[in-house]
Amino acid sequence: MSMPELFETHCHLNHRDFASDLPEALFRARRAGVREHLVIGWDLESSRRAVELADPDQGLFAAVGIHPHHASEWSAEVRDELVDLAGSPGVVAFGEIGLDFYRNLSPREAQFRAFEEQLTLARERLNLPLIIHTRESMADTLDVLSGVPLGAGGVLHCWSGSCQEAERAVDLGWHLGIGGVITYKNPGSLPDVARATSLDRILLETDCPYLTPMPYRGKRNEPSYLALVLGRLAKVLDRSESDLAVQTRTNAVRLFNTGSEPANKISTSV
Ligand SMILES: [Zn+2]
């Protein structure tokens, strides 16, 4: 029986919630068909940890950056260390960066400054694709993104905007990350967005340990649950899981330039 191979484009295996069972979580993910994991940093410490975990031969990749919650920590020293980290093996993206006006854990002014300076850094010095976080800040985020060159592109992760906003993001050249919310009883406009968006712009993600899909909502999320996101999205789009897996994995391999596109599926006996 051949199993769809998946690229998990947003996970926090660098989070303390995985400190005690990371090998087991990775084993379960592999068994569920997850072939690549992009481990995302949110501050300096978690970015260092993401780089430590990176192991391209094992399908483990890293992104480094300062999340809007930590925007107040942004400084020239932080910037210089991120540049160093970004040159490490297995670092294929910059992020997560962006704006979060829901929790406002850093002042908005600091958020804009950290976001814009990291955008420039990723574009002009590092040429890395971006992982963008936005919450209650979609219009501002899209305004900022529309003012800079697309560069190596990137993804608006855990998409939560309207169909019109999705159209704008895709027109600007961005990918949309779809995760566990698609499995919820009330997924908002996400199914409509997914149906209206060209398949070559959709990426799958878990955002684990957060945003656990049904039926495990309330427990810790983990990468193996990406298969649940795939299953639900396939139903929403009325497509086969294997087609959707191949397409979304191809999108991720191209965006993050991780080599070997899934031309031929590997058979896994179970
Ligand atoms: Zn995240």
Side-chain angles (χ1 to χ4, degrees):
M1 181 186 153
S2 97
M3 186 167 53
E5 295 192 315
L6 300 169
F7 196 128
E8 151 73 306
T9 62
H10 195 111
C11 60
H12 299 291
L13 301 177
N14 46 349
H15 191 282
R16 63 175 179 273
D17 283 9
F18 290 103
S20 64
D21 73 337
L22 184 57
E24 291 85 353
L26 286 171
F27 177 76
R28 288 190 293 271
R30 189 55 52 106
R31 225 174 31 186
V34 183
R35 186 160 157 190
E36 290 98 353
H37 306 263
L38 181 46
V39 181
I40 314 284
W42 61 88
D43 63 2
L44 205 46
E45 187 54 42
S46 59
S47 295
R48 289 185 194 121
R49 176 80 182 129
V51 169
E52 275 169 25
L53 289 173
D55 185 353
D57 290 340
Q58 296 299 314
L60 285 162
F61 299 94
V64 299
I66 306 297
H67 187 285
H69 290 345
H70 295 271
S72 309
E73 296 160 24
W74 179 248
S75 68
E77 292 72 38
V78 169
R79 178 198 63 209
D80 291 346
E81 186 171 346
L82 285 177
V83 170
D84 280 350
L85 287 171
S88 309
V91 177
V92 298
F94 197 92
E96 57 190 295
I97 66 172
L99 300 171
D100 191 314
F101 299 161
Y102 177 69
R103 296 186 64 191
N104 281 310
L105 294 185
S106 285
R108 289 192 185 194
E109 199 181 308
Q111 290 192 38
F112 275 107
R113 184 164 162 250
F115 184 27
E116 288 171 357
E117 290 189 14
Q118 290 183 96
L119 272 177
T120 305
L121 183 67
R123 293 267 175 283
E124 293 175 9
R125 270 179 79 180
L126 303 171
N127 195 33
L128 285 172
L130 285 151
I131 314 292
I132 306 290
H133 169 99
T134 173
R135 189 158 184 204
E136 307 268 313
S137 57
M138 189 63 80
D140 285 289
T141 299
L142 293 175
D143 283 348
V144 170
L145 295 180
S146 68
V148 296
L150 182 62
V155 57
L156 289 138
H157 108 86
C158 189
W159 179 263
S160 61
S162 68
C163 286
Q164 290 89 332
E165 288 164 335
E167 199 181 331
R168 188 172 173 213
V170 168
D171 282 349
L172 287 169
W174 291 82
H175 290 70
L176 311 184
I178 293 184
V181 173
I182 193 82
T183 69
Y184 294 174
K185 209 172 183 178
N186 181 6
S189 54
L190 197 51
D192 290 333
V193 166
R195 282 187 283 261
T197 300
S198 170
L199 256 191
D200 62 0
R201 295 300 186 84
I202 291 178
L203 302 178
L204 301 183
E205 62 170 72
T206 62
D207 201 15
C208 64
Y210 312 109
L211 289 173
T212 311
M214 294 295 284
Y216 301 117
R217 204 174 172 185
K219 299 190 178 143
R220 183 194 69 177
N221 196 3
E222 65 167 58
S224 65
Y225 297 164
L226 194 63
L228 299 167
V229 175
L230 173 78
R232 182 67 205 138
L233 187 61
K235 286 206 175 65
V236 164
L237 298 178
D238 194 22
R239 298 186 71 99
S240 77
E241 291 187 17
S242 54
D243 277 4
L244 192 57
V246 170
Q247 176 70 61
T248 53
R249 182 163 171 257
T250 302
N251 299 342
V253 167
R254 285 192 183 141
L255 179 62
F256 301 118
N257 203 15
T258 55
S260 68
E261 286 184 33
N264 29 316
K265 282 178 276 176
I266 294 168
S267 286
T268 315
S269 46
V270 287

